[in-house]
Amino acid sequence: MQKKITVIEGDGIGPEVTAQAVKVLNAVATRFGHTFEYQYALMGACAIDQTGNPLPDETIEACLNGDAILFGAIGHPKYDNDPSAKVRPEQGLLKLRKTLGLYANIRPISTYPALQHLSPLKAERLENVDFVIYRELTGGIYFGKKTIDEAQTVASDDCTYTREEIERIAHPAFQHAQKRRKKLTLVDKANVLETSRLWRKVVQEIAGQYPDVAVDFLFVDNAAMQIILNPAQFDVVLTENMFGDIISDEASVISGSLGLLPSASIGKSGGLFEPIHGSYPQAAGKDIANPLGSILSAAMLLDHLGMQAEAGAVRDAVNWSLAEGLVTQDLDPNQFQYTSQLGDLISARVEDERPPSTGKRRNRLLSSLTII
Ligand code: IPM
Ligand code: MG
């Protein structure tokens, strides 16, 4: 197969982690006989620096011309600490989501035995934790009318949802639940918010079309607590834009590392694939960031292109690296690989899959590459 992938490296550690995902995609292309053509495009603080615009028109065009988008990270501290900045890196990502109609953000929360000791939760709470968050991505308070009066004393952000916006993400969420453990939890604040009551009503109606899926409803404050107390209860979690932003960050750390989690943003056509983590400016350029979130995002991209076996090969290689202790500094400060080394190891594994590795192989890799 021949596919065009738009690569938006973005800010901070974005370029470094994305480069590893591209290496892994190249390994997939070699092993499975595909051709991937990459188009690089700017977005975020780097785009503001170079063009004055966080999302240049050429980037939108490249995204519209490609089959899928691989994205790194966005944001720079110089904008975070300046509330009066008129142009902000994040505006680029929000506009891209809106322009491409990427209304469903899918964030799988998995746990890895090799990382259990890094989780803030006790080991027994991590048993059977495997859920996926469907976050609505192009509506709600993020995109409502925003006002601030001249004296800068009163500000507002409107939150609006339409039935259609709720239905179009609820259906894929239910369908995904049908393929999993057949449970869907709607997270809302229906005891207070009118938009949440509309979400509940629409989801209750749609539930009739999926009789095999058990549906339950949780207020977002309770959901935030349940994610810590009993994360194994969740299968598919469906929620609106801002609640999804908040609970997905919360859920992402229970695996033991934010650096590992991928996400997909999909819509009518195309899709954007990015790690959940941010731009981590303190680590930029040091070759220490964890590339697994980006590599696993590339696996989600492959799934989206219908390349399930290829995606599986990437996930197997990541599992292998974790099981072998081939990890970046954030996971093991004493014995670690640099970002680019881990990208090389995982690409090599994908390209030339071997039987489960032996201690001998591990020692060879460690002696050649590990910084002790
Ligand atoms: C995310 C991020 C973005 C969001 C920011 C960078 C605008 O936090 O993708 O979760 O809030 O959606
Ligand atoms: Mg977020």
Side-chain angles (χ1 to χ4, degrees):
M1 260 197 254
Q2 184 149 3
K3 295 287 177 192
K4 263 198 211 165
I5 298 170
T6 309
V7 181
I8 303 178
E9 298 176 308
D11 303 322
I13 56 168
E16 294 158 63
V17 295
T18 309
Q20 311 318 312
V22 168
K23 277 183 197 167
V24 172
L25 286 171
N26 286 335
V28 165
T30 307
R31 171 157 157 212
F32 291 86
H34 302 305
T35 306
F36 296 141
E37 191 188 307
Y38 305 100
Q39 279 178 288
Y40 283 79
L42 289 174
M43 183 167 79
C46 58
I48 300 176
D49 291 345
Q50 290 183 42
T51 71
N53 182 351
L55 180 65
D57 289 347
E58 301 82 70
T59 299
I60 299 179
E61 210 149 287
C63 292
L64 290 170
N65 287 335
D67 295 301
I69 306 157
L70 182 68
F71 169 56
I74 204 159
H76 192 283
K78 74 182 170 198
Y79 299 95
D80 296 344
N81 303 328
D82 177 10
S84 61
K86 287 272 175 302
V87 186
R88 318 185 67 83
E90 291 80 2
Q91 289 163 344
L93 179 58
L94 296 177
K95 185 171 168 204
L96 188 67
R97 289 172 178 169
K98 194 74 173 176
T99 309
L100 301 180
L102 302 171
Y103 55 78
N105 183 228
I106 303 163
R107 297 184 165 182
I109 309 295
S110 334
T111 49
Y112 296 86
L115 302 185
Q116 256 184 19
H117 63 290
L118 297 173
S119 172
L121 297 191
K122 294 189 182 109
E124 64 261 27
R125 292 205 177 153
L126 296 173
E127 255 165 56
N128 304 318
V129 172
D130 172 16
F131 61 100
V132 49
I133 300 176
Y134 271 69
R135 167 189 173 195
E136 200 290 327
L137 204 57
T138 54
I141 197 167
Y142 271 56
F143 291 94
K145 191 171 154 216
K146 296 178 189 307
T147 66
I148 181 145
D149 68 334
E150 253 177 48
Q152 309 241 315
T153 49
V154 187
S156 69
D157 296 279
D158 280 356
C159 181
T160 306
Y161 267 109
T162 65
R163 173 175 280 272
E164 197 238 324
E165 285 173 319
I166 300 167
E167 283 173 351
R168 70 183 178 184
I169 182 168
H171 283 293
F174 270 104
Q175 284 153 16
H176 200 166
Q178 282 184 317
K179 291 190 212 128
R180 295 175 46 99
R181 301 197 312 276
K182 301 184 172 43
K183 180 175 176 194
L184 181 141
T185 304
L186 176 69
V187 170
D188 63 23
K189 189 73 186 173
N191 50 348
V192 177
L193 301 177
E194 208 53 62
T195 43
S196 283
R197 287 191 276 272
L198 183 63
W199 271 84
R200 226 173 241 225
K201 190 169 158 34
V202 172
V203 167
Q204 276 165 353
E205 284 170 20
I206 288 179
Q209 297 172 42
Y210 303 94
D212 52 334
V213 177
V215 182
D216 71 352
F217 302 92
L218 277 186
F219 297 141
V220 62
D221 45 352
N222 186 15
M225 186 170 70
Q226 295 297 329
I227 285 172
I228 300 300
L229 286 179
N230 180 14
Q233 72 184 284
F234 297 111
D235 182 19
V236 172
V237 173
L238 170 64
T239 192
E240 60 99 77
N241 202 344
M242 191 160 76
F243 297 158
D245 180 45
I246 297 167
I247 64 164
S248 62
D249 262 28
E250 184 193 6
S252 68
V253 294
I254 64 186
S255 73
S257 169
L258 175 66
L260 241 75
L261 295 182
S263 81
S265 300
I266 57 171
K268 286 172 204 125
S269 64
L272 179 148
F273 302 84
E274 59 170 313
I276 282 186
H277 63 68
S279 59
Y280 192 15
Q282 304 85 331
K286 296 187 179 157
D287 203 21
I288 57 171
N290 189 339
L292 297 184
S294 185
I295 292 171
L296 290 168
S297 297
M300 290 186 91
L301 180 152
L302 292 165
D303 270 332
H304 182 73
L305 294 177
M307 301 183 181
Q308 269 74 28
E310 292 82 339
V314 173
R315 291 192 182 104
D316 286 350
V318 167
N319 288 336
W320 162 81
S321 75
L322 288 170
E324 293 288 303
L326 300 168
V327 294
T328 39
Q329 205 181 57
D330 51 318
L331 300 189
D332 187 345
N334 297 317
Q335 205 176 44
F336 61 86
Q337 307 296 315
Y338 282 108
T339 310
S340 52
Q341 292 174 328
L342 188 55
D344 290 342
L345 289 166
I346 293 176
S347 316
R349 178 78 183 182
V350 166
E351 200 175 315
D352 170 27
E353 201 183 26
R354 284 150 206 254
S357 75
T358 60
K360 208 167 148 206
R361 174 174 166 78
R362 177 177 188 227
N363 289 339
R364 184 166 62 80
L365 290 167
L366 288 176
S367 58
S368 65
L369 293 165
T370 303
I371 307 304
I372 300 175

